[in-house]
Amino acid sequence: MSNKSDSNSNLISPGEIKPASMELESVREKLAQAKGPKFWRTLEELADQPAFGDLLEREFPRQASEWVDPVSRRGFLKLAGASMALAGLAGCTKQPLEQILPYVRQPEELIPGKPIFFATAMPISGYAQPLLVETHEYRPTKVEGNPQHGASLGGTDLFAQASILDLYDPDRSISLTFKGEARPWGEFLGSVRGRVQYHRANQGAGLRFLTGAVSSPTLGSQMAAIQKLYPQSRWHRWEPVHRDGVRAGSKMAFGAYYDPIYKFDAADVVVSLDADFLSGAWFPGFVRYARDFASRRKLTGSEMNRLYVAESTPTTTGAKADAKLPARSADIDRIARALAAKVGVAGAGDVQLEAEQQKWVNAAAAELMQHRGKGLVVPGVFQSAAVNALAHAMNAALGNAGQTVTYIDPVEIDPVEHTQSIRELADDMNAGKVETLVVIGGNPAYDAPADLDFAGLLKKLVDDPNKMVLQLAIYKNETTDFATWHLPQAHYLESWGDARSFDGAATVIQPMIAPLYDGRSANELVAIFTDQPSSSGYDLVQTYWRSQHTGDDFEGWWRRTLHDGYVADSAFPARTVAPKLAGLPAPAEPSGIEVLFRPDPTIFDGSFVNNAWLQETPKPLSRTTWDNVAFISPAMAKRMGYYLLDQNNDHQSDAQNVIEINVQGRKVKAPVWPQPGHPDNAVTLFLGYGRKKTGRVGMGAGYD
């Protein structure tokens, strides 16, 4: 565990690489020896040496123009160094073959050092993050939000900002492999087409696809075609940071899946039931929601909003609360029931709360009742189905539905509850029903539920010569060890695609650059199993939208869509729904010490573990870097003998600051971090670390 007060020791001694005679191979050799924080800090020290700039100018004269303003010379040097094994810059970069349209009028000739902007989107957890990408000489250099898109209004998040570094990461997967050995595309295509013919004959029996959440209209259309061609095949979904409680709560309240759309700018009172709507990509729409919420916190003459937060883990949302209540996740359920009963929801039940909890409930209920139609109850993404259903019922009872919250059809294509979906896949694998498994973009050997032993199931599958595991991934990861074929995935900045933002608005994803490592998109891989095996990503996306276009001038519409960064009038309309609390389960009785799993604020679910910018970013509240810790309350730390660190992080021994968590026989050791505002008798563990196979930046950092 480290923090920003760590000093950077001199990682390159004068005798190791002589500044006056710095050579490409010596730099590569030095970088190859560095791992984790040392790798990144070595790059920082190189960027400060004049000889490093001279080296780049000598080796890559075409890129020298990028050192003039508005691009920071030092920033470029660090970015160049990040791809320095120097794989990324050594190749000649160019635009895609298909026409991409800039956000502003492009000059007739490329002007070195002058940026050109393009609209696109970054898909994350199935949702589109609308972006404007600044490019220099066909190379993406900076990402911002799309000011015209309603899901962004010019804002973006740290994952999108840092995604530029992932594009140039030399640790990306760069070769197609068969059981770990490089093979040509033709051999791969022949092998997979053989499986296609086999499954065409048996109607897809034994064929399984595993993806994350999908909002891409084109990919959704392709998967629908797959299920027609192979009626016995199955499409499974798994996101380690999933929204199963939201889905199940919607079905419990409305009898079907709907997505809530919140209007924080219209709410005088906001009550958060463990909803971290200001922090990260795990809460769809948070970029827009943060802007809307902040618009009501200003002293502009209108009434400022009030925020009540009950949360199981300290967050930046809780840090902004007017009244905050730390509570274990199981207690949030009881608090939600008590609050619902206070505001007049029938069937919420009668629960007994602690005095502090009841005081918070009374205050929040009084303000919600006082601001009927202008209040908002927001359930947490990681909360139970009951809490989500109760929040819907409270908003309806208070007249908030249709005012501060509306409901739309799900943005996710064919939505499912992910935990159930991957368990069904594991059951089929155990029963020998799976013959061909296509894993698109995920890493289930690392992040599937531990009790499934998914790595063991994959090994059993791939050890059978008559079966196949096919993986598409941007990095070689833990799942790659069990893949028959591994196919490099194209970065979103180098591939065509589409996706929907949290409100349903569709965006065509246009690439800024031709693929650096001959990667393929999910659309292109899935096309091999359809009647369009050789179609490019561009053809697949454009063909889908041509089929959806109702006007005459498709080419004009297409150009406008690429220019604007979204499909006009494609946001989903609001639905009229009414909650019914039938079958609300009994509240759980909290006992023992509660263990919570949360996405890491800068690494997410592990997808960004090899991104040095994000590793260097101090995590909110704890300010730690390059590690994940275990949050517990200060009172619990004292009670268990884990004393608090002082302001200089002084302590007696490392052993006294390591906690061992044992859940159903599975153990993990983690650094203890006593966090003010954390509920007592609870531990929060953060996902994404402890990786055993990734790039040199993220390898081995933290605990799994």
Side-chain angles (χ1 to χ4, degrees), residues 535-549:
S535 297
S536 68
Y538 176 81
D539 290 336
L540 292 165
V541 174
Q542 192 184 59
T543 298
Y544 171 81
W545 285 105
R546 191 182 292 275
S547 72
Q548 303 299 303
H549 184 65

Side-chain angles (χ1 to χ4, degrees), residues 450-517:
D451 60 309
L452 297 183
D453 185 23
F454 211 88
L457 295 176
L458 287 170
K459 186 178 187 307
K460 182 179 177 182
L461 191 63
V462 77
D463 283 347
D464 188 330
N466 297 315
K467 297 181 179 181
M468 177 184 290
V469 176
L470 196 164
Q471 182 200 27
L472 176 73
I474 196 166
Y475 289 93
K476 291 181 178 178
N477 53 36
E478 289 83 352
T479 301
T480 308
D481 290 338
F482 308 103
T484 312
W485 286 99
H486 166 82
L487 180 63
Q489 185 173 11
H491 192 274
Y492 79 92
L493 289 171
E494 54 184 18
S495 59
W496 289 92
D498 53 13
R500 293 187 184 275
S501 55
F502 78 100
D503 59 357
T507 294
V508 174
I509 301 171
Q510 60 173 341
M512 308 293 103
I513 189 173
L516 296 174
Y517 304 118

Side-chain angles (χ1 to χ4, degrees), residues 23 81 465 668:
E23 297 296 334
V668 65

Side-chain angles (χ1 to χ4, degrees), residues 199-200 203-204 224-231 233 529-531:
H199 286 300
R200 284 280 184 100
Q203 294 191 313
I226 288 280
Q227 291 174 313
K228 287 183 179 179
L229 288 169
Y230 312 92
S233 68
F529 290 84
T530 69
D531 295 325

Side-chain angles (χ1 to χ4, degrees), residues 31 242 373 375 402 413-414 487 625 636:
L31 289 173
H242 54 71
I413 304 291
D414 186 24
L487 180 63
T625 61
M636 184 175 171

Side-chain angles (χ1 to χ4, degrees), residues 600-637:
D600 186 89
T602 62
I603 302 305
F604 199 49
D605 58 4
S607 303
F608 301 96
V609 74
N610 208 58
N611 191 302
W613 287 351
L614 292 174
Q615 292 278 21
E616 281 280 285
T617 301
K619 303 181 195 303
L621 305 181
S622 72
R623 313 303 291 169
T624 56
T625 61
W626 294 93
D627 204 352
N628 55 342
V629 298
F631 275 5
I632 62 175
S633 70
M636 184 175 171

Side-chain angles (χ1 to χ4, degrees), residues 360-389:
W360 184 92
V361 166
N362 292 343
E367 290 229 42
L368 286 170
M369 297 284 282
Q370 183 182 348
H371 295 85
R372 285 179 174 273
K374 293 187 177 182
L376 183 57
V377 182
V378 186
V381 168
F382 308 118
Q383 267 302 322
S384 66
V387 171
N388 278 266

